[in-house]
Amino acid sequence: MKLSALRGNERVKEQLSQQERGRGLSHAYILSGPEGSGRHTLARLLSAGMLCTSQGEKPCGQCPACGKVLRGVHPDVSLITGSGAGKTITVDQVRALRSDAYIRPNEGQRKVYLLENADQMNPSAQNAMLKLLEEGPRYAAFLLIANNAGGLLETVRSRCEELPLFPAGRPAEDEDGRERAAQVKRMADALERAGELELLEESMRFAAKRSGEEFSLLLDSLEVELGTRIAQARDRRRLLRAVELVKELREAVRRNVNANQLSGWLCAGMFTAL
Ligand SMILES: [Zn+2]
């Protein structure tokens, strides 16, 4: 996905791009974070991505659908805001949304609902929302904007994907990114020139205690890193083999093979072929 208009938040961008390439975007997201973290920017980009009619990377920002979403006038994107002092969405508003959701889209393939202050909804409004998340029409997508995802019922959260956002340049996020970049570099070094034992140790560190999703993000970065090294590599054949293995590894992660079992396999793959 083309999400460069969102500042920082690399992790969420990677998560969404990968999802789009893989099983496709989800029908419900919680965009959580403080003001200034880019929740509305991302909500707009996601809505545009869902309605974009371009064949290339989405949202293209050029097609009529993208234009309408970005100007806030697309008939298939609705922004639901609460009224009153707390600006809380009421159960009646959710019911109205529910009937609206069953009317087919006007011009796009999907209908997108943005819910402001979703974490402020009271339990009955959230329960009404829950029904919609569970049984709503396939074309409907819901973007729940929240300060704190913890304010939503567990049942609602479990039916949405969470996109935690941070104001750009937040140290923890930068540090996270730096640490990951360093790990990828160490792993690429090991693949490029380490001996068998050293490579095994490094790949065990690389795979240790990670979720499948985190691991495949790392593998993506690793593949890019290896790709940039091939041109100047001393042992080009070895690097090409590494790239091939990383690709296979990614497939294995997709099939839910445990990340920790993969380090031994990676080593064996490198050294039996060379
Ligand atoms: Zn477009």
Side-chain angles (χ1 to χ4, degrees):
M1 285 196 88
K2 205 157 103 191
L3 299 170
S4 45
L6 175 68
R7 286 184 58 218
N9 293 295
E10 298 308 325
R11 189 161 208 152
V12 158
K13 289 182 197 166
E14 282 172 23
Q15 183 183 341
L16 286 168
S17 300
Q18 243 178 47
Q19 213 173 70
E20 193 204 26
R21 284 196 300 271
R23 66 189 142 96
L25 292 177
S26 165
H27 77 298
Y29 291 100
I30 298 169
L31 286 65
S32 67
E35 227 165 277
S37 57
R39 299 172 303 175
H40 292 94
T41 305
L42 181 59
R44 254 206 318 269
L45 292 170
L46 265 175
S47 317
M50 288 174 179
L51 290 158
C52 175
T53 54
S54 143
Q55 297 303 310
E57 203 183 6
K58 297 178 183 195
C60 70
Q62 311 286 325
C63 71
C66 278
K68 285 185 188 175
V69 176
L70 300 175
R71 288 196 308 275
V73 297
H74 197 294
D76 294 317
V77 179
S78 312
L79 176 66
I80 321 289
T81 49
S83 48
K87 301 245 177 213
T88 312
I89 297 173
T90 62
V91 65
D92 287 337
Q93 282 180 292
V94 178
R95 287 195 189 119
L97 189 167
R98 188 176 160 82
S99 0
D100 184 79
Y102 281 97
I103 303 167
R104 294 202 55 88
N106 288 288
E107 45 186 69
Q109 296 295 312
R110 306 198 71 164
K111 265 183 140 170
V112 188
Y113 295 91
L114 275 60
L115 286 89
E116 290 272 16
N117 297 321
D119 51 341
Q120 303 296 315
M121 288 191 288
N122 68 21
S124 41
Q126 291 199 37
N127 277 317
M129 196 57 219
L130 180 63
K131 284 213 189 86
L132 201 49
L133 293 171
E134 283 175 330
E135 311 156 2
R138 291 179 59 107
Y139 52 75
F142 306 95
L143 307 179
L144 281 60
I145 297 173
N147 267 310
N148 171 14
L152 288 157
L153 297 176
E154 222 17 79
T155 43
V156 170
R157 287 179 79 174
S158 68
R159 278 158 187 87
C160 301
E161 290 214 25
E162 294 191 21
L163 302 171
L165 295 164
F166 303 97
R170 178 179 175 272
E173 165 105 351
D174 285 355
E175 216 157 275
D176 229 33
R178 266 200 298 274
E179 171 55 23
R180 263 187 307 151
Q183 256 170 343
V184 165
K185 195 179 163 298
R186 281 198 303 270
M187 187 65 211
D189 286 346
L191 281 168
E192 193 175 352
R193 48 182 168 253
E196 195 165 353
L197 191 61
E198 209 185 320
L199 175 61
L200 182 65
E201 274 171 17
E202 191 56 53
S203 35
M204 277 162 69
R205 264 197 297 276
F206 188 70
K209 294 194 206 102
R210 281 181 209 291
S211 69
E213 190 140 356
E214 275 179 333
F215 192 52
S216 38
L217 284 180
L218 273 182
L219 288 173
D220 277 353
S221 316
L222 181 58
E223 192 184 335
V224 173
E225 173 70 29
L226 291 171
T228 60
R229 293 180 181 209
I230 286 176
Q232 300 101 352
R234 266 178 304 170
D235 186 349
R236 213 159 157 249
R237 203 173 126 245
R238 179 167 164 157
L239 265 188
L240 288 170
R241 174 70 187 146
V243 171
E244 215 174 282
L245 281 170
V246 168
K247 283 197 175 119
E248 283 175 37
L249 206 53
R250 225 176 19 200
E251 276 313 303
V253 174
R254 230 167 250 151
R255 291 193 308 271
N256 274 325
V257 180
N258 183 325
N260 293 312
Q261 294 165 358
L262 297 170
S263 38
W265 176 84
L266 183 67
C267 266
M270 276 308 286
F271 285 93
T272 48
L274 293 168

